[in-house]
Amino acid sequence: MQILKDSELRYRRLFEAAQDGILILDAETGMIEDVNPYLINMLGYSYAEFIKKKIWELRSFQDIEASQDAFKILQENEYIRYEDLPLKAKDGRLVQVEFISNVYWAGDEKVIQCNIRNITERRRSESALQVSEARYRRLFEAAQDGILILDAKTGMIEDVNPYLINMLGYSREEFIKKKLWEVGAFRDIEASKDAFEALQANEYIRYDDLPLKAKDGRLIPVEFVSNVYFEGDEKVIQCNIRDITARKHAEESIHLQSTALNAAASAIMITDRDGTIEWINLAFTTLTGYTSEEAVGRNPRDLIRSGKQDQAYYKQLWDTILAGEVWHSELINRRKDGSLSIEEETITPLKNASGKISHFIAFKQDIAERKQAEARIQRQLEHLTALSAIDRVIAANFDLKLSLSEILAHVTKELGVDAADILILNPDSNMLEYGSALGFRTKAVRKAEVRLGESYAGRVALERQLVQIPDLRNEPENPLLTSHLAGEGFACYYGVPLITKGQVKGVLEVFNRIALAPDGEWLDFLDTLAGQTAIALENSTLFESLQRSNVELSLAYDATIEGWSRALDLRDKETEGHTQRVTAMTVKLARAFGFSKAELVQVRWGALLHDIGKMGVPDGILLKPGPLTEEEWVVMKNHPTFAYEMLSPIRYLRLALDIPNSHHEKWDGSGYPHGLKGTQIPLVARIFAVVDVWDALSSDRPYRSAWAEEKVREHILASSGTHFDPQVVDLFMQIPK
Ligand code: C2E
Ligand code: SIN
Ligand code: SIN
Ligand code: FE
Ligand code: FE
């Protein structure tokens, strides 16, 4: 009895605590005898609503058509199992259950025990698993990366996706159940076996650029990333293999492009639409002093603006580029060290795929040197004009005082000094006496009488050389200063001897009230002016109206014209020495044609200045790397006329003008600017044309590279009688080059 009681108790405890629903039915009647709390809880019906009901009378089971039949089957078969039965809970929820019934004998009573397990959760997670498995499959099949799944224990390939099969050209069979390093594509990769071991240990491995060999032998650069995962309790390795051929090409071409931009001579700056700098090249750093680190992220407005242009100038710049147009002009910007740079700048808007401006690219060129060359050209022209004017004065005036005062007007203007005077040597007394003065505050200088060897002027005359005192204030005891220059406030002094025919005629002195920093060009011009002054003195003191020696005059001009033509070549970027070569060759050829010595001087000047008219041709045309458009040719063909307009006011260059004006005329009349024909063209110009084309073709030009010597020869010969005077070509071919 006690035993029975014990087992009864044990049964009860199990029954009450079970995590399955349990129903006990009378096998004869089918009536429910007992129901455990779990099932009551699961379905939400009370104990009373179960007891003494037939199972198909329970509302939970009412919708289950089979339940009455099932009960009969159960009675016969003693065992029934439904894997997935939807019971309806009292609140209407469907509860998925596994239903298992057994028939037992309890003493002599036959009972049916139904175990009802809630499998809702399990079903839910099972179906989620199915969905994710399907989802995974789809990813795996459609992935645009190669994927390999390896068994982490054996290293065998378990799965390979179509993309990788396609990429490498091996069949699925050639992958599956192979070790990674047994697959042809990986065989040459020394590291693959080690990598596998590393992978097992490290669980993550990555190669940025692995060359895999496709079945057809092509090498395919890939990025290879492996990870170890647990699938349930199975450890698998997933390898993602990405073809990076296109990326590498893009990277290479970007690398190439940025290397090229970096190597460019122009400073380049790329900004976003707001002007924030995104990239600069090395030349930008050279130009501005700012490194990439310092410039990127900044706005040029804050970085390099100099304040030398007003707001309106920048507004025009920005209006232009924001309207999508190219801006091209000059700008003065500030370097990192505070100094200013004169730049020629082109800013081009860059548009993105949808046509919106996304960036600006600016090309800048330091044009200080060119500006200086241009300024020098301008100065030389002024110097030459001044010399010419002085000549005219000397030739026209026999009044020495008037000549000298006109000379001093040019001296002070061209040299940019406050005052100048001319002291004349009296050969009887050997004293320097007042000749003329300009720019002095007092008249004291008029009484100047300086003994040879005394004070500055005396030293200049005695030693026959330039004396320069850059800072007079260091010499307070100077007698000249104290006697005649007191109260003038001069800061510096330059004195040059006036010499003709080997004799000192006097001294030219210039003064400035603030210190000067004269360069070689300034000192040379001072010398030239002294030469002119000496000629004026000579002419009048000898009281002769002799023609001045051509030679002496020429010397003054020659230095100036040579300097000038060199400045021109600098702008033209002509091959070093083009002008010098054509000048030497032209003079040689002209001599052979019987030109006189005096004429040859003019020929020489004409050749030196032959392309001076190109000063009037803008850089954009002159330095253009390609062929000229029709409009550009119109401008270019103006250069001979421009030369004529520029030089004709200079009396002493009149004879030299033939070359600049007529060097592009052609023998057959097809040249410019006047279409002159045959002997209408001055002989020097016919001579020069051959020499110029010969040297032009033999040299690199911005618009083409140099021709070979033989080709140049053939061209000259072929153009004889059309472009060139045949007689000139004949003689030209005979002289050595
Ligand atoms: P330049 O470069 O001093 O050339 C002087 C002359 O040499 C030219 O006069 C022409 O007669 C001859 N020449 C030079 N290069 C060639 C060539 O490649 N082929 C032939 N057949 N002849 C050549 P032209 O033609 O009246 O030109 C005068 C000036 O115009 C040139 O002086 C140059 O400054 C400029 N120029 C000519 N063609 C071009 C071009 O295609 N592009 C640019 N940017 N400038 C040009
Ligand atoms: C700017 O100058 O601020 C932007 C335009 C440019 O120079 O690229
Ligand atoms: C600016 O300051 O906006 C333009 C400066 C430059 O591009 O050089
Ligand atoms: Fe020319
Ligand atoms: Fe030339």
Side-chain angles (χ1 to χ4, degrees), residues 24 57 118 180 188-189 204 206 210 216 223 228 329 355 370 376-377 426 434 460 477 496 511 549 568 649 670 707 733:
I24 305 294
E57 291 169 351
N118 186 346
L180 191 59
D188 289 343
I189 299 176
Y204 176 76
R206 176 194 176 102
L210 213 57
D216 62 10
E223 182 187 84
V228 177
S329 194
R370 198 207 307 156
R376 241 187 97 193
I377 290 170
N426 180 335
Y434 171 78
V460 172
E477 301 308 323
V496 263
F511 306 88
S549 141
L568 284 170
S670 65
W707 288 10
M733 287 302 164

Short mmCIF file of all heavy atoms in Angstrom, two decimals, residues 24 57 118 180 188-189 204 206 210 216 223 228 329 355 370 376-377 426 434 460 477 496 511 549 568 649 670 707 733:
data_model
loop_
_atom_site.label_atom_id
_atom_site.label_comp_id
_atom_site.label_asym_id
_atom_site.label_seq_id
_atom_site.Cartn_x
_atom_site.Cartn_y
_atom_site.Cartn_z
N ILE A 24 -5.02 12.55 -19.35
CA ILE A 24 -5.26 11.12 -19.11
C ILE A 24 -6.72 10.86 -19.48
O ILE A 24 -7.63 11.53 -18.97
CB ILE A 24 -5.04 10.76 -17.62
CG1 ILE A 24 -3.62 11.19 -17.17
CG2 ILE A 24 -5.24 9.24 -17.40
CD1 ILE A 24 -2.49 10.45 -17.82
N GLU A 57 -14.74 16.98 -27.75
CA GLU A 57 -15.68 17.96 -27.26
C GLU A 57 -14.94 19.22 -26.72
O GLU A 57 -15.54 20.26 -26.49
CB GLU A 57 -16.56 17.39 -26.15
CG GLU A 57 -17.54 16.33 -26.64
CD GLU A 57 -18.23 15.58 -25.51
OE1 GLU A 57 -17.82 15.76 -24.33
OE2 GLU A 57 -19.16 14.81 -25.81
N ASN A 118 4.26 21.82 -26.65
CA ASN A 118 4.15 23.09 -27.38
C ASN A 118 5.41 23.26 -28.25
O ASN A 118 6.51 23.40 -27.75
CB ASN A 118 4.05 24.23 -26.36
CG ASN A 118 3.79 25.56 -27.07
OD1 ASN A 118 3.95 25.67 -28.28
ND2 ASN A 118 3.36 26.54 -26.29
N LEU A 180 42.72 23.78 -50.32
CA LEU A 180 42.88 25.05 -51.03
C LEU A 180 44.11 25.03 -51.94
O LEU A 180 44.05 25.43 -53.10
CB LEU A 180 42.99 26.18 -49.99
CG LEU A 180 42.90 27.59 -50.52
CD1 LEU A 180 41.59 27.83 -51.23
CD2 LEU A 180 43.04 28.60 -49.38
N ASP A 188 50.39 28.06 -57.11
CA ASP A 188 51.65 28.81 -57.15
C ASP A 188 51.83 29.73 -55.96
O ASP A 188 52.86 30.36 -55.82
CB ASP A 188 51.73 29.64 -58.44
CG ASP A 188 51.96 28.73 -59.64
OD1 ASP A 188 52.36 27.57 -59.42
OD2 ASP A 188 51.72 29.19 -60.76
N ILE A 189 50.79 29.84 -55.17
CA ILE A 189 50.91 30.77 -54.05
C ILE A 189 51.56 30.05 -52.89
O ILE A 189 50.94 29.25 -52.20
CB ILE A 189 49.54 31.32 -53.68
CG1 ILE A 189 49.00 32.07 -54.90
CG2 ILE A 189 49.63 32.22 -52.47
CD1 ILE A 189 47.64 32.59 -54.73
N TYR A 204 41.44 34.95 -38.72
CA TYR A 204 41.20 36.02 -39.69
C TYR A 204 42.46 36.22 -40.48
O TYR A 204 43.56 36.27 -39.95
CB TYR A 204 40.84 37.33 -38.97
CG TYR A 204 40.68 38.48 -39.93
CD1 TYR A 204 39.53 38.59 -40.70
CD2 TYR A 204 41.67 39.43 -40.09
CE1 TYR A 204 39.38 39.62 -41.60
CE2 TYR A 204 41.52 40.48 -40.99
CZ TYR A 204 40.38 40.57 -41.74
OH TYR A 204 40.22 41.59 -42.63
N ARG A 206 44.02 38.22 -44.23
CA ARG A 206 43.66 39.10 -45.33
C ARG A 206 44.88 39.36 -46.20
O ARG A 206 45.96 39.69 -45.70
CB ARG A 206 43.18 40.42 -44.73
CG ARG A 206 42.86 41.44 -45.77
CD ARG A 206 42.73 42.81 -45.15
NE ARG A 206 42.52 43.74 -46.25
CZ ARG A 206 41.34 44.24 -46.56
NH1 ARG A 206 40.29 43.96 -45.84
NH2 ARG A 206 41.22 45.05 -47.59
N LEU A 210 46.57 39.42 -54.14
CA LEU A 210 47.09 38.08 -54.35
C LEU A 210 46.89 37.74 -55.82
O LEU A 210 45.79 37.89 -56.35
CB LEU A 210 46.26 37.12 -53.49
CG LEU A 210 46.91 35.90 -52.89
CD1 LEU A 210 48.09 36.28 -52.03
CD2 LEU A 210 45.88 35.14 -52.07
N ASP A 216 42.90 29.52 -67.68
CA ASP A 216 43.49 29.85 -68.98
C ASP A 216 44.85 30.53 -68.84
O ASP A 216 45.41 31.00 -69.82
CB ASP A 216 42.53 30.72 -69.79
CG ASP A 216 42.24 32.06 -69.10
OD1 ASP A 216 42.91 32.38 -68.10
OD2 ASP A 216 41.33 32.77 -69.57
N GLU A 223 41.65 40.42 -53.85
CA GLU A 223 41.74 40.67 -52.42
C GLU A 223 41.16 39.43 -51.76
O GLU A 223 40.10 38.95 -52.16
CB GLU A 223 40.90 41.90 -52.09
CG GLU A 223 40.93 42.30 -50.65
CD GLU A 223 39.93 43.42 -50.42
OE1 GLU A 223 38.74 43.12 -50.21
OE2 GLU A 223 40.33 44.59 -50.46
N VAL A 228 36.92 32.61 -39.72
CA VAL A 228 36.48 31.32 -39.20
C VAL A 228 35.15 31.53 -38.50
O VAL A 228 34.97 32.51 -37.78
CB VAL A 228 37.51 30.75 -38.21
CG1 VAL A 228 36.99 29.46 -37.62
CG2 VAL A 228 38.82 30.53 -38.93
N SER A 329 43.64 85.09 -66.12
CA SER A 329 44.18 86.43 -65.98
C SER A 329 45.40 86.41 -65.07
O SER A 329 45.89 85.35 -64.71
CB SER A 329 43.12 87.37 -65.43
OG SER A 329 43.55 88.70 -65.60
N GLY A 355 26.53 67.03 -64.46
CA GLY A 355 26.70 68.34 -65.09
C GLY A 355 26.83 69.49 -64.11
O GLY A 355 26.89 70.64 -64.53
N ARG A 370 59.05 86.91 -66.63
CA ARG A 370 58.56 87.42 -67.90
C ARG A 370 58.20 88.90 -67.76
O ARG A 370 58.50 89.71 -68.62
CB ARG A 370 57.35 86.62 -68.37
CG ARG A 370 57.10 86.82 -69.84
CD ARG A 370 55.67 86.61 -70.21
NE ARG A 370 55.18 85.32 -69.74
CZ ARG A 370 53.90 85.08 -69.52
NH1 ARG A 370 53.02 86.03 -69.69
NH2 ARG A 370 53.51 83.90 -69.11
N ARG A 376 61.96 95.30 -68.94
CA ARG A 376 63.28 95.62 -69.48
C ARG A 376 63.17 96.04 -70.94
O ARG A 376 63.81 97.00 -71.36
CB ARG A 376 64.19 94.40 -69.36
CG ARG A 376 65.40 94.68 -68.48
CD ARG A 376 66.36 93.53 -68.52
NE ARG A 376 67.43 93.75 -69.45
CZ ARG A 376 68.26 92.78 -69.85
NH1 ARG A 376 68.08 91.55 -69.43
NH2 ARG A 376 69.22 93.05 -70.69
N ILE A 377 62.35 95.30 -71.67
CA ILE A 377 62.16 95.64 -73.08
C ILE A 377 61.65 97.07 -73.17
O ILE A 377 62.14 97.88 -73.97
CB ILE A 377 61.13 94.69 -73.73
CG1 ILE A 377 61.73 93.29 -73.86
CG2 ILE A 377 60.68 95.21 -75.08
CD1 ILE A 377 60.73 92.22 -74.26
N ASN A 426 88.56 122.78 -68.26
CA ASN A 426 89.22 123.89 -68.95
C ASN A 426 90.67 123.48 -69.15
O ASN A 426 91.41 123.34 -68.17
CB ASN A 426 89.10 125.15 -68.09
CG ASN A 426 89.78 126.33 -68.73
OD1 ASN A 426 90.70 126.17 -69.55
ND2 ASN A 426 89.34 127.52 -68.37
N TYR A 434 81.78 124.67 -64.12
CA TYR A 434 80.35 124.44 -64.31
C TYR A 434 79.97 124.49 -65.79
O TYR A 434 80.34 125.40 -66.50
CB TYR A 434 79.56 125.51 -63.54
CG TYR A 434 78.09 125.51 -63.85
CD1 TYR A 434 77.25 124.55 -63.27
CD2 TYR A 434 77.53 126.45 -64.71
CE1 TYR A 434 75.90 124.54 -63.56
CE2 TYR A 434 76.18 126.45 -65.00
CZ TYR A 434 75.36 125.49 -64.42
OH TYR A 434 74.03 125.48 -64.70
N VAL A 460 87.38 111.59 -60.65
CA VAL A 460 86.79 110.96 -61.84
C VAL A 460 87.59 111.34 -63.08
O VAL A 460 87.98 110.48 -63.89
CB VAL A 460 85.31 111.38 -62.02
CG1 VAL A 460 84.76 110.89 -63.36
CG2 VAL A 460 84.46 110.87 -60.87
N GLU A 477 83.20 115.19 -44.39
CA GLU A 477 84.30 116.15 -44.57
C GLU A 477 84.59 116.45 -46.03
O GLU A 477 85.50 117.19 -46.34
CB GLU A 477 85.60 115.62 -43.92
CG GLU A 477 85.49 115.36 -42.42
CD GLU A 477 84.94 116.57 -41.67
OE1 GLU A 477 85.30 117.72 -42.06
OE2 GLU A 477 84.14 116.39 -40.75
N VAL A 496 80.93 110.10 -63.86
CA VAL A 496 81.60 109.40 -64.98
C VAL A 496 82.39 110.41 -65.82
O VAL A 496 81.91 111.53 -66.04
CB VAL A 496 80.60 108.68 -65.92
CG1 VAL A 496 80.47 107.22 -65.58
CG2 VAL A 496 79.25 109.37 -65.92
N PHE A 511 73.07 112.66 -58.90
CA PHE A 511 72.83 112.62 -57.45
C PHE A 511 71.40 112.17 -57.18
O PHE A 511 70.50 112.45 -57.95
CB PHE A 511 72.97 114.02 -56.84
CG PHE A 511 74.27 114.70 -57.14
CD1 PHE A 511 74.42 115.46 -58.30
CD2 PHE A 511 75.35 114.59 -56.25
CE1 PHE A 511 75.61 116.11 -58.57
CE2 PHE A 511 76.54 115.25 -56.53
CZ PHE A 511 76.69 116.01 -57.69
N SER A 549 81.89 110.79 -85.65
CA SER A 549 82.37 109.47 -86.04
C SER A 549 81.27 108.43 -85.86
O SER A 549 80.72 108.27 -84.78
CB SER A 549 83.59 109.10 -85.20
OG SER A 549 83.51 107.72 -84.87
N LEU A 568 64.20 90.38 -75.65
CA LEU A 568 63.13 89.89 -76.53
C LEU A 568 63.14 88.37 -76.61
O LEU A 568 62.11 87.72 -76.52
CB LEU A 568 63.31 90.46 -77.94
CG LEU A 568 62.92 91.92 -78.12
CD1 LEU A 568 63.37 92.41 -79.48
CD2 LEU A 568 61.41 92.06 -77.98
N PRO A 649 60.30 105.98 -85.22
CA PRO A 649 60.65 107.28 -84.61
C PRO A 649 62.12 107.39 -84.24
O PRO A 649 62.60 108.50 -83.99
CB PRO A 649 59.78 107.32 -83.34
CG PRO A 649 58.74 106.28 -83.54
CD PRO A 649 59.35 105.23 -84.39
N SER A 670 53.79 86.40 -102.28
CA SER A 670 52.74 85.82 -101.43
C SER A 670 52.98 86.08 -99.94
O SER A 670 52.29 85.51 -99.09
CB SER A 670 52.65 84.31 -101.68
OG SER A 670 53.85 83.68 -101.26
N TRP A 707 63.84 70.47 -87.13
CA TRP A 707 63.98 69.56 -88.27
C TRP A 707 65.45 69.14 -88.39
O TRP A 707 66.35 69.88 -87.97
CB TRP A 707 63.62 70.27 -89.58
CG TRP A 707 62.16 70.54 -89.78
CD1 TRP A 707 61.17 70.41 -88.87
CD2 TRP A 707 61.56 71.01 -90.99
NE1 TRP A 707 59.97 70.77 -89.40
CE2 TRP A 707 60.18 71.14 -90.72
CE3 TRP A 707 62.02 71.33 -92.26
CZ2 TRP A 707 59.27 71.58 -91.68
CZ3 TRP A 707 61.12 71.77 -93.21
CH2 TRP A 707 59.76 71.88 -92.94
N MET A 733 73.94 78.80 -99.85
CA MET A 733 74.34 77.40 -99.86
C MET A 733 75.85 77.25 -99.90
O MET A 733 76.39 76.22 -99.52
CB MET A 733 73.69 76.69 -101.06
CG MET A 733 72.20 76.46 -100.87
SD MET A 733 71.90 75.48 -99.38
CE MET A 733 70.16 75.75 -99.12
#
